[in-house]
Amino acid sequence: MSGLNLDDLGNLIERPDGGVRRDAEERRERLVVRPGALGRLDELGEWLSAAQSAVPVKPVEHPRVVLFAGDHGVAGLGVSARRPGTTRDLVRAVLDGESPVAVLARRFGVPVRVVDMAVDCDPGELPEEVVRHRVRRGSGRIDIEDALTADEAEQAFRAGMAVADEEADSGTDLVVLGDLSVGGTTAAGALIAALCGTDASVVTGRGGAGIDDLAWMRKCAAIRDALRRARPVLGDQLELLAATGGADLAAITGFLLQCAVRRTPVILDGVVSAACALVAQRVAFRAPDWWLAGQASGEPAQAKALDRMALNPLLDHGVTVGEGTGALLALPLVQAAAALAAELPERPEPEPEPEPELEPETGTVTGSAPGTGEGEPPEESERD
């Protein structure tokens, strides 16, 4: 299909350092707080140590929120609570600091990067640094046509890889990943249903903005139709993303894989990032070791995908807004785990017991014998 060899990319990915993780576990055993008292924070600290190849773990000082944006033609079927083609408004709210993820990022002091892959608006309406990777204006309607051409799928995938390289080269030490899309959860549901071998009804959720029962039935039907088009191309991940994904989903998949190549940890957000992670796992089975599931979004497709990848969400607060918000809420937990693992003191080593002193010539132990005076031999017992 393309000149991009996914097998070569998968071979570049190694797991986090297992030896370093064992060293981190041994150090944890020596800390003043007993093992297990910090719950899952212990596991997070050890995971970070392995990812960084450092014991003790280094603090997470340069995290970054990265949001991939795109419109989806399937939104025209009324599968979302938002109007079709309004991803531009979501992007603008983030850039203006008015969205939930922007508010939290400002509070946490984390920079936010938006990457436009297929927003349905004139590129001049958004800043140059946002639109420079754009592949097309909106992705195709996946129930009846491909989301992308073969060339567009590869271009989007490579763009995601390039963004991962840019972040790693700039010193980003952890990525909070999210998406900005209208119709994106429908495409994500189709990908997860295809890869997990389930029916459309099993993976169809209500989306970030929430939909009524009629919209849910339309969404379920769209995923069902997209599934018919996805199943014949399950053996080729780029073809799958072209058929039933979209430019933003293809970019996220490339981004996740290249982050694993560059040893950059990632916190996943909702169902869209979970779907892309599941596709990426098919390329490189070791890649999920570099990712954390930030939160349980309540979307059934997300739960299915995370279960398949053996990723356990850090938070379950019922946050459905998407846009990286849930993943960003998990960031302080990861930073807390790093701080505790690095800064808690170790227990002091117990002092050795003093050895008894011996008399120079006789080799007898100095000191009083039981029932005698100091240094004197015991008296003989009296006889009648």
Side-chain angles (χ1 to χ4, degrees), residues 1 117 135-140 146-158 238 242 246-247 250:
M1 173 180 173
M117 298 305 305
V135 170
R136 57 181 284 169
R137 182 167 173 166
S139 295
D146 286 348
L148 308 167
T149 67
D151 289 343
E152 288 169 344
E154 180 173 347
Q155 183 185 346
F157 193 96
R158 288 185 182 277
L238 276 176

PDB file of all heavy atoms in Angstrom, residues 1 117 135-140 146-158 238 242 246-247 250:
ATOM      1  N   MET A   1       0.818  -1.221   0.000  1.00  0.00           N
ATOM      2  CA  MET A   1       0.000   0.000   0.000  1.00  0.00           C
ATOM      3  C   MET A   1       0.846   1.262   0.000  1.00  0.00           C
ATOM      4  O   MET A   1       0.520   2.264  -0.598  1.00  0.00           O
ATOM      5  CB  MET A   1      -0.904  -0.001   1.239  1.00  0.00           C
ATOM      6  CG  MET A   1      -1.682   1.292   1.435  1.00  0.00           C
ATOM      7  SD  MET A   1      -2.707   1.230   2.907  1.00  0.00           S
ATOM      8  CE  MET A   1      -3.275   2.918   2.939  1.00  0.00           C
ATOM      9  N   MET A 117      -5.269  17.971  11.855  1.00  0.00           N
ATOM     10  CA  MET A 117      -5.044  16.989  10.811  1.00  0.00           C
ATOM     11  C   MET A 117      -6.132  17.015   9.746  1.00  0.00           C
ATOM     12  O   MET A 117      -5.876  16.727   8.587  1.00  0.00           O
ATOM     13  CB  MET A 117      -4.964  15.575  11.415  1.00  0.00           C
ATOM     14  CG  MET A 117      -3.824  15.372  12.392  1.00  0.00           C
ATOM     15  SD  MET A 117      -2.191  15.785  11.717  1.00  0.00           S
ATOM     16  CE  MET A 117      -2.132  14.762  10.263  1.00  0.00           C
ATOM     17  N   VAL A 135      -3.700  17.293   6.667  1.00  0.00           N
ATOM     18  CA  VAL A 135      -3.716  16.389   5.516  1.00  0.00           C
ATOM     19  C   VAL A 135      -4.857  16.716   4.564  1.00  0.00           C
ATOM     20  O   VAL A 135      -4.692  16.707   3.343  1.00  0.00           O
ATOM     21  CB  VAL A 135      -3.825  14.928   5.991  1.00  0.00           C
ATOM     22  CG1 VAL A 135      -4.094  13.974   4.832  1.00  0.00           C
ATOM     23  CG2 VAL A 135      -2.554  14.514   6.731  1.00  0.00           C
ATOM     24  N   ARG A 136      -6.033  17.001   5.100  1.00  0.00           N
ATOM     25  CA  ARG A 136      -7.192  17.300   4.275  1.00  0.00           C
ATOM     26  C   ARG A 136      -8.220  18.038   5.116  1.00  0.00           C
ATOM     27  O   ARG A 136      -8.053  18.208   6.325  1.00  0.00           O
ATOM     28  CB  ARG A 136      -7.806  16.024   3.690  1.00  0.00           C
ATOM     29  CG  ARG A 136      -8.200  15.002   4.744  1.00  0.00           C
ATOM     30  CD  ARG A 136      -8.777  13.743   4.110  1.00  0.00           C
ATOM     31  NE  ARG A 136     -10.152  13.970   3.642  1.00  0.00           N
ATOM     32  CZ  ARG A 136     -10.810  13.100   2.864  1.00  0.00           C
ATOM     33  NH1 ARG A 136     -10.227  11.990   2.440  1.00  0.00           N
ATOM     34  NH2 ARG A 136     -12.050  13.350   2.491  1.00  0.00           N
ATOM     35  N   ARG A 137      -9.289  18.460   4.485  1.00  0.00           N
ATOM     36  CA  ARG A 137     -10.355  19.176   5.181  1.00  0.00           C
ATOM     37  C   ARG A 137     -11.492  18.183   5.445  1.00  0.00           C
ATOM     38  O   ARG A 137     -12.335  17.927   4.593  1.00  0.00           O
ATOM     39  CB  ARG A 137     -10.824  20.349   4.332  1.00  0.00           C
ATOM     40  CG  ARG A 137     -11.900  21.181   4.981  1.00  0.00           C
ATOM     41  CD  ARG A 137     -12.092  22.497   4.231  1.00  0.00           C
ATOM     42  NE  ARG A 137     -13.228  23.235   4.750  1.00  0.00           N
ATOM     43  CZ  ARG A 137     -13.483  24.510   4.494  1.00  0.00           C
ATOM     44  NH1 ARG A 137     -12.666  25.185   3.680  1.00  0.00           N
ATOM     45  NH2 ARG A 137     -14.540  25.111   5.008  1.00  0.00           N
ATOM     46  N   GLY A 138     -11.515  17.605   6.636  1.00  0.00           N
ATOM     47  CA  GLY A 138     -12.518  16.608   6.995  1.00  0.00           C
ATOM     48  C   GLY A 138     -12.179  15.242   6.427  1.00  0.00           C
ATOM     49  O   GLY A 138     -11.614  15.133   5.337  1.00  0.00           O
ATOM     50  N   SER A 139     -12.517  14.194   7.179  1.00  0.00           N
ATOM     51  CA  SER A 139     -12.305  12.824   6.712  1.00  0.00           C
ATOM     52  C   SER A 139     -13.598  12.263   6.140  1.00  0.00           C
ATOM     53  O   SER A 139     -14.695  12.739   6.459  1.00  0.00           O
ATOM     54  CB  SER A 139     -11.813  11.943   7.873  1.00  0.00           C
ATOM     55  OG  SER A 139     -10.537  12.360   8.320  1.00  0.00           O
ATOM     56  N   GLY A 140     -13.489  11.256   5.296  1.00  0.00           N
ATOM     57  CA  GLY A 140     -14.643  10.707   4.590  1.00  0.00           C
ATOM     58  C   GLY A 140     -15.652  10.017   5.498  1.00  0.00           C
ATOM     59  O   GLY A 140     -15.357   9.677   6.651  1.00  0.00           O
ATOM     60  N   ASP A 146     -14.184   5.365   2.081  1.00  0.00           N
ATOM     61  CA  ASP A 146     -12.966   5.426   2.884  1.00  0.00           C
ATOM     62  C   ASP A 146     -12.823   6.790   3.538  1.00  0.00           C
ATOM     63  O   ASP A 146     -13.184   7.822   2.954  1.00  0.00           O
ATOM     64  CB  ASP A 146     -11.745   5.156   2.009  1.00  0.00           C
ATOM     65  CG  ASP A 146     -11.610   3.695   1.618  1.00  0.00           C
ATOM     66  OD1 ASP A 146     -12.329   2.849   2.210  1.00  0.00           O
ATOM     67  OD2 ASP A 146     -10.793   3.389   0.725  1.00  0.00           O
ATOM     68  N   ALA A 147     -12.267   6.777   4.741  1.00  0.00           N
ATOM     69  CA  ALA A 147     -11.997   8.043   5.419  1.00  0.00           C
ATOM     70  C   ALA A 147     -10.877   8.806   4.720  1.00  0.00           C
ATOM     71  O   ALA A 147     -10.896  10.038   4.655  1.00  0.00           O
ATOM     72  CB  ALA A 147     -11.621   7.781   6.874  1.00  0.00           C
ATOM     73  N   LEU A 148      -9.904   8.077   4.179  1.00  0.00           N
ATOM     74  CA  LEU A 148      -8.720   8.669   3.564  1.00  0.00           C
ATOM     75  C   LEU A 148      -8.305   7.852   2.352  1.00  0.00           C
ATOM     76  O   LEU A 148      -8.647   6.670   2.250  1.00  0.00           O
ATOM     77  CB  LEU A 148      -7.542   8.679   4.556  1.00  0.00           C
ATOM     78  CG  LEU A 148      -7.741   9.282   5.945  1.00  0.00           C
ATOM     79  CD1 LEU A 148      -6.567   8.906   6.844  1.00  0.00           C
ATOM     80  CD2 LEU A 148      -7.865  10.787   5.851  1.00  0.00           C
ATOM     81  N   THR A 149      -7.553   8.470   1.486  1.00  0.00           N
ATOM     82  CA  THR A 149      -6.873   7.698   0.451  1.00  0.00           C
ATOM     83  C   THR A 149      -5.646   7.032   1.075  1.00  0.00           C
ATOM     84  O   THR A 149      -5.230   7.375   2.201  1.00  0.00           O
ATOM     85  CB  THR A 149      -6.425   8.594  -0.705  1.00  0.00           C
ATOM     86  OG1 THR A 149      -5.395   9.493  -0.229  1.00  0.00           O
ATOM     87  CG2 THR A 149      -7.587   9.406  -1.261  1.00  0.00           C
ATOM     88  N   ALA A 150      -5.045   6.127   0.335  1.00  0.00           N
ATOM     89  CA  ALA A 150      -3.846   5.453   0.839  1.00  0.00           C
ATOM     90  C   ALA A 150      -2.726   6.455   1.114  1.00  0.00           C
ATOM     91  O   ALA A 150      -2.048   6.389   2.144  1.00  0.00           O
ATOM     92  CB  ALA A 150      -3.385   4.405  -0.165  1.00  0.00           C
ATOM     93  N   ASP A 151      -2.529   7.395   0.206  1.00  0.00           N
ATOM     94  CA  ASP A 151      -1.473   8.392   0.394  1.00  0.00           C
ATOM     95  C   ASP A 151      -1.760   9.290   1.590  1.00  0.00           C
ATOM     96  O   ASP A 151      -0.844   9.654   2.331  1.00  0.00           O
ATOM     97  CB  ASP A 151      -1.312   9.234  -0.871  1.00  0.00           C
ATOM     98  CG  ASP A 151      -0.675   8.445  -2.019  1.00  0.00           C
ATOM     99  OD1 ASP A 151      -0.072   7.389  -1.743  1.00  0.00           O
ATOM    100  OD2 ASP A 151      -0.806   8.887  -3.181  1.00  0.00           O
ATOM    101  N   GLU A 152      -3.033   9.667   1.764  1.00  0.00           N
ATOM    102  CA  GLU A 152      -3.389  10.516   2.900  1.00  0.00           C
ATOM    103  C   GLU A 152      -3.178   9.797   4.224  1.00  0.00           C
ATOM    104  O   GLU A 152      -2.732  10.399   5.210  1.00  0.00           O
ATOM    105  CB  GLU A 152      -4.846  10.971   2.770  1.00  0.00           C
ATOM    106  CG  GLU A 152      -5.072  12.003   1.674  1.00  0.00           C
ATOM    107  CD  GLU A 152      -6.550  12.235   1.395  1.00  0.00           C
ATOM    108  OE1 GLU A 152      -7.389  11.400   1.824  1.00  0.00           O
ATOM    109  OE2 GLU A 152      -6.867  13.242   0.725  1.00  0.00           O
ATOM    110  N   ALA A 153      -3.485   8.505   4.265  1.00  0.00           N
ATOM    111  CA  ALA A 153      -3.280   7.735   5.490  1.00  0.00           C
ATOM    112  C   ALA A 153      -1.803   7.699   5.868  1.00  0.00           C
ATOM    113  O   ALA A 153      -1.430   7.894   7.036  1.00  0.00           O
ATOM    114  CB  ALA A 153      -3.823   6.317   5.325  1.00  0.00           C
ATOM    115  N   GLU A 154      -0.955   7.456   4.879  1.00  0.00           N
ATOM    116  CA  GLU A 154       0.483   7.441   5.164  1.00  0.00           C
ATOM    117  C   GLU A 154       0.974   8.827   5.561  1.00  0.00           C
ATOM    118  O   GLU A 154       1.792   8.973   6.489  1.00  0.00           O
ATOM    119  CB  GLU A 154       1.263   6.946   3.955  1.00  0.00           C
ATOM    120  CG  GLU A 154       2.765   6.927   4.221  1.00  0.00           C
ATOM    121  CD  GLU A 154       3.567   6.288   3.105  1.00  0.00           C
ATOM    122  OE1 GLU A 154       2.971   5.635   2.230  1.00  0.00           O
ATOM    123  OE2 GLU A 154       4.805   6.440   3.124  1.00  0.00           O
ATOM    124  N   GLN A 155       0.481   9.851   4.890  1.00  0.00           N
ATOM    125  CA  GLN A 155       0.894  11.219   5.229  1.00  0.00           C
ATOM    126  C   GLN A 155       0.509  11.567   6.662  1.00  0.00           C
ATOM    127  O   GLN A 155       1.310  12.143   7.412  1.00  0.00           O
ATOM    128  CB  GLN A 155       0.246  12.213   4.256  1.00  0.00           C
ATOM    129  CG  GLN A 155       0.666  13.661   4.483  1.00  0.00           C
ATOM    130  CD  GLN A 155      -0.090  14.636   3.574  1.00  0.00           C
ATOM    131  OE1 GLN A 155      -0.742  14.218   2.601  1.00  0.00           O
ATOM    132  NE2 GLN A 155      -0.010  15.916   3.870  1.00  0.00           N
ATOM    133  N   ALA A 156      -0.705  11.205   7.059  1.00  0.00           N
ATOM    134  CA  ALA A 156      -1.151  11.485   8.426  1.00  0.00           C
ATOM    135  C   ALA A 156      -0.336  10.693   9.438  1.00  0.00           C
ATOM    136  O   ALA A 156       0.061  11.213  10.497  1.00  0.00           O
ATOM    137  CB  ALA A 156      -2.637  11.163   8.561  1.00  0.00           C
ATOM    138  N   PHE A 157      -0.091   9.427   9.133  1.00  0.00           N
ATOM    139  CA  PHE A 157       0.694   8.576  10.029  1.00  0.00           C
ATOM    140  C   PHE A 157       2.091   9.155  10.222  1.00  0.00           C
ATOM    141  O   PHE A 157       2.599   9.243  11.358  1.00  0.00           O
ATOM    142  CB  PHE A 157       0.762   7.170   9.428  1.00  0.00           C
ATOM    143  CG  PHE A 157       1.272   6.115  10.361  1.00  0.00           C
ATOM    144  CD1 PHE A 157       0.395   5.316  11.072  1.00  0.00           C
ATOM    145  CD2 PHE A 157       2.634   5.908  10.514  1.00  0.00           C
ATOM    146  CE1 PHE A 157       0.866   4.320  11.920  1.00  0.00           C
ATOM    147  CE2 PHE A 157       3.116   4.911  11.360  1.00  0.00           C
ATOM    148  CZ  PHE A 157       2.230   4.116  12.064  1.00  0.00           C
ATOM    149  N   ARG A 158       2.727   9.558   9.117  1.00  0.00           N
ATOM    150  CA  ARG A 158       4.068  10.134   9.206  1.00  0.00           C
ATOM    151  C   ARG A 158       4.051  11.471   9.947  1.00  0.00           C
ATOM    152  O   ARG A 158       5.004  11.811  10.657  1.00  0.00           O
ATOM    153  CB  ARG A 158       4.648  10.313   7.807  1.00  0.00           C
ATOM    154  CG  ARG A 158       5.036   9.006   7.112  1.00  0.00           C
ATOM    155  CD  ARG A 158       5.721   9.290   5.786  1.00  0.00           C
ATOM    156  NE  ARG A 158       6.077   8.088   5.056  1.00  0.00           N
ATOM    157  CZ  ARG A 158       7.181   7.366   5.264  1.00  0.00           C
ATOM    158  NH1 ARG A 158       8.046   7.762   6.194  1.00  0.00           N
ATOM    159  NH2 ARG A 158       7.429   6.284   4.550  1.00  0.00           N
ATOM    160  N   LEU A 238      -2.464   0.359   8.124  1.00  0.00           N
ATOM    161  CA  LEU A 238      -2.648   1.602   7.386  1.00  0.00           C
ATOM    162  C   LEU A 238      -3.907   1.556   6.529  1.00  0.00           C
ATOM    163  O   LEU A 238      -4.649   2.543   6.437  1.00  0.00           O
ATOM    164  CB  LEU A 238      -1.420   1.900   6.518  1.00  0.00           C
ATOM    165  CG  LEU A 238      -0.259   2.618   7.214  1.00  0.00           C
ATOM    166  CD1 LEU A 238       0.916   2.756   6.259  1.00  0.00           C
ATOM    167  CD2 LEU A 238      -0.682   3.984   7.738  1.00  0.00           C
ATOM    168  N   ALA A 242      -7.170   3.998   6.871  1.00  0.00           N
ATOM    169  CA  ALA A 242      -7.691   4.700   5.705  1.00  0.00           C
ATOM    170  C   ALA A 242      -9.164   4.388   5.489  1.00  0.00           C
ATOM    171  O   ALA A 242      -9.955   5.268   5.139  1.00  0.00           O
ATOM    172  CB  ALA A 242      -6.883   4.315   4.461  1.00  0.00           C
ATOM    173  N   GLY A 246      -9.458   7.928  10.089  1.00  0.00           N
ATOM    174  CA  GLY A 246      -9.492   9.354   9.767  1.00  0.00           C
ATOM    175  C   GLY A 246      -8.091   9.898   9.905  1.00  0.00           C
ATOM    176  O   GLY A 246      -7.189   9.241  10.446  1.00  0.00           O
ATOM    177  N   ALA A 247      -7.873  11.117   9.439  1.00  0.00           N
ATOM    178  CA  ALA A 247      -6.532  11.692   9.475  1.00  0.00           C
ATOM    179  C   ALA A 247      -6.034  11.878  10.899  1.00  0.00           C
ATOM    180  O   ALA A 247      -4.861  11.649  11.198  1.00  0.00           O
ATOM    181  CB  ALA A 247      -6.519  13.023   8.727  1.00  0.00           C
ATOM    182  N   ALA A 250      -5.176   8.347  12.327  1.00  0.00           N
ATOM    183  CA  ALA A 250      -3.936   7.832  11.734  1.00  0.00           C
ATOM    184  C   ALA A 250      -2.721   8.543  12.340  1.00  0.00           C
ATOM    185  O   ALA A 250      -1.695   7.916  12.628  1.00  0.00           O
ATOM    186  CB  ALA A 250      -3.961   8.021  10.222  1.00  0.00           C
TER     187      ALA A 250
END
